[in-house]
Amino acid sequence: MSNIRINGERLWDSLMEMAKIGATEKGGVCRLALTDLDRQGRDLFVKWAKEAGCTITVDKMGNIFARREGRNPSLPPVMTGSHLDSQPTGGRFDGVYGVLAGLEVLRTLNDLNYETEAPVEVAVWTNEEGSRFAPAMVASGVFAGVFDLDYGLSRADLDGKTMGQELERIGYAGDQPVGKPVGAYFEAHIEQGPILEAEGKTIGIVTHAQGQRWYEVVLTGQEAHAGPTPMPIRRDALLGAAKIVQAVNKIGLDNAPVACATVGLMQVHPNSRNVIPGRVFFTIDLRHPDDEVLSKMDRELRAAIDEVVADGRLEAKVEQIFYYAPVPFEEGCVNAVRAATAAAGFSNRDIVSGAGHDACYLAKVAPTGMIFIPCIDGISHNEIEDAKPEWVAAGAEVLLGAMLERANAGSGAAADAA
């Protein structure tokens, strides 16, 4: 398939057009899941997909599927996709690149009047980021049977608005059941790390994804006046939280080089400058590609919290709200990415994903593979996130080649390529 090329300029222009929706002053985007801006991004994708001749379906979790029919409609589709929602200070490529690279694959097939054996589809997964509604990747998780539909629709943001309510409000509460047969799934994504750029590699062939554990912690002490209350008798919940933040960082360092441990959200009550904090809510994110090590990090975390609670005369409620084990991607899909990369002549290396992706849940119900391209300085979840047009085009060409191999498996269609 090395003689088929996508239109890199068209793909780049589409990315820049989508980036205008929710654009921020620093050059990034803020398109939180199921906001009006997310609706605008969805509407634009649906418009483009219809212009490409696709049929559109939306399931009850708001996942969108743009389908280009194949020679044999009875075969399960070969699917690609990612997400359009972003972090509050997100970039122009995280998630959206995978969606629009998939759209460019369909556009290229149209340009060539190329008929695949199996149908091909591009998916837009709801709330991948988990920024507004926790946990992350909840809609692809419902698709894969990890969560049930009621759980997914009942996830609420900090204002108490649920995903089900917001899907109805923005017009993306679909009528299709969540989940269906998928012949193979591929996801293209920026690396969100520095390895590919540092090594001068254009394509990352993703073999595994790290396991993750997310926690929500409520630490309770006692509010008191900041002036008259002596230091030795204080039950300062924020002080306890600070010690746990330091412990979380130490757990990440102690399990180097591939462990990650982060506190990313904190709410202090009553949040008054002259009141000792009596309650703190915060989140913890632990990651590692080895499930045994990830479990050890869990034990270390709980021991550290117990010690802080005892020393500070505090109370703690610790809830693990999200877990999945490290994910090995399917050998056939990994090899399809490898073959497409070799056919196109791109420099490459095998790589493990440090971030979670919808592909991690799709891997539970379909053969799955991922394609990484570099991002400048490895920066992501940041408004200055950036990538070069040639990297963007290269990843989409590999995606096209891998999808064609699986969509034409067992047929003579590959020999008919233009």
Side-chain angles (χ1 to χ4, degrees):
M1 310 311 301
S2 59
N3 58 330
I4 297 183
R5 292 286 181 264
I6 59 96
N7 186 328
E9 183 176 351
R10 179 172 58 193
L11 172 55
W12 185 264
D13 289 346
S14 297
L15 285 162
M16 296 305 104
E17 186 67 23
M18 185 66 79
K20 293 177 182 178
I21 300 174
T24 63
E25 291 185 3
K26 295 181 180 180
V29 297
C30 178
R31 239 180 1 247
L32 297 182
L34 308 186
T35 58
D36 289 340
L37 290 170
D38 186 26
R39 174 187 54 77
Q40 292 176 34
R42 288 162 168 262
D43 288 350
L44 181 57
F45 169 76
V46 168
K47 172 180 176 289
W48 283 341
K50 286 182 175 178
E51 289 172 352
C54 295
T55 57
I56 305 295
T57 57
V58 182
D59 70 21
K60 292 179 180 180
M61 280 303 301
N63 299 316
I64 305 168
F65 302 95
R67 180 182 179 98
R68 184 181 190 268
E69 202 55 82
R71 184 179 290 118
N72 187 348
S74 67
L75 291 173
V78 172
M79 188 183 291
T80 187
S82 196
H83 59 98
L84 294 176
D85 65 303
S86 80
Q87 291 288 330
T89 52
R92 299 174 297 168
F93 301 92
D94 177 7
V96 63
Y97 169 62
V99 172
L100 297 184
L103 179 62
E104 179 55 38
V105 166
L106 304 190
R107 286 169 165 172
T108 298
L109 295 176
N110 288 345
D111 292 344
L112 299 171
N113 195 29
Y114 184 101
E115 186 177 33
T116 55
E117 183 69 14
V120 289
E121 292 188 0
V122 180
V124 176
W125 303 106
T126 300
N127 186 54
E128 189 273 354
E129 291 290 1
S131 177
R132 183 182 178 193
F133 304 97
M137 298 138 38
V138 65
S140 57
V142 175
F143 185 94
V146 176
F147 310 118
D148 64 34
L149 179 61
D150 288 343
Y151 175 87
L153 294 177
S154 66
R155 296 308 87 203
D157 66 10
L158 294 176
D159 296 323
K161 297 175 182 177
T162 68
M163 290 186 67
Q165 291 167 339
E166 291 295 88
L167 282 167
E168 291 281 359
R169 187 186 66 82
I170 69 170
Y172 276 91
D175 59 1
Q176 296 298 303
V178 186
K180 61 182 179 180
V182 177
Y185 178 79
F186 294 95
E187 185 167 343
H189 210 282
I190 59 170
E191 178 194 350
Q192 300 182 287
I195 296 172
L196 293 176
E197 185 187 34
E199 295 187 2
K201 307 295 187 183
T202 300
I203 298 295
I205 301 167
V206 187
T207 59
H208 297 74
Q210 280 190 327
Q212 296 186 39
R213 293 180 185 263
W214 283 16
Y215 307 82
E216 291 184 345
V217 181
V218 179
L219 207 61
T220 304
Q222 184 176 59
E223 291 129 52
H225 197 298
T229 310
M231 299 295 291
I233 69 169
R234 296 183 177 197
R235 296 173 59 206
D236 188 334
L238 182 56
L239 177 61
K243 292 178 179 179
I244 293 172
V245 171
Q246 187 172 28
V248 167
N249 190 66
K250 184 175 185 298
I251 288 168
L253 293 172
D254 287 349
N255 291 280
V258 291
C260 293
T262 307
V263 173
L265 185 154
M266 185 173 288
Q267 295 173 320
V268 180
H269 177 82
N271 208 31
S272 174
R273 68 186 65 213
N274 60 345
V275 178
I276 298 165
R279 188 175 72 251
V280 180
F281 168 84
F282 57 101
T283 63
I284 300 171
D285 178 322
L286 301 182
R287 307 187 185 208
H288 200 281
D290 185 324
D291 202 36
E292 289 188 10
V293 177
L294 187 61
S295 295
K296 179 171 76 75
M297 293 168 67
D298 171 82
R299 294 192 295 272
E300 291 168 349
L301 171 66
R302 294 177 187 276
I305 292 174
D306 287 346
E307 182 177 349
V308 169
V309 166
D311 288 346
R313 294 175 293 116
L314 306 171
E315 297 175 2
K317 178 183 177 184
V318 181
E319 182 180 3
Q320 181 178 282
I321 66 162
F322 177 55
Y323 163 74
Y324 67 75
V327 178
F329 290 119
E330 195 260 345
E331 184 178 4
C333 286
V334 173
N335 288 337
V337 172
R338 197 183 307 281
T341 302
F346 296 126
S347 59
N348 63 89
R349 60 158 287 167
D350 288 3
I351 196 165
V352 173
S353 174
H357 301 282
D358 293 303
C360 297
Y361 280 146
L362 267 292
K364 294 180 176 294
V365 293
T368 297
M370 287 197 73
I371 301 156
F372 276 177
I373 62 168
C375 54
I376 292 174
D377 295 329
I379 295 174
S380 183
H381 284 194
N382 188 310
E383 293 163 279
I384 66 171
E385 172 187 283
D386 205 0
K388 295 181 180 180
E390 57 267 31
W391 298 339
V392 166
E397 288 192 359
V398 172
L399 177 64
L400 171 64
M403 291 185 72
L404 285 179
E405 178 178 317
R406 295 306 289 250
N408 292 332
S411 79
D416 300 330

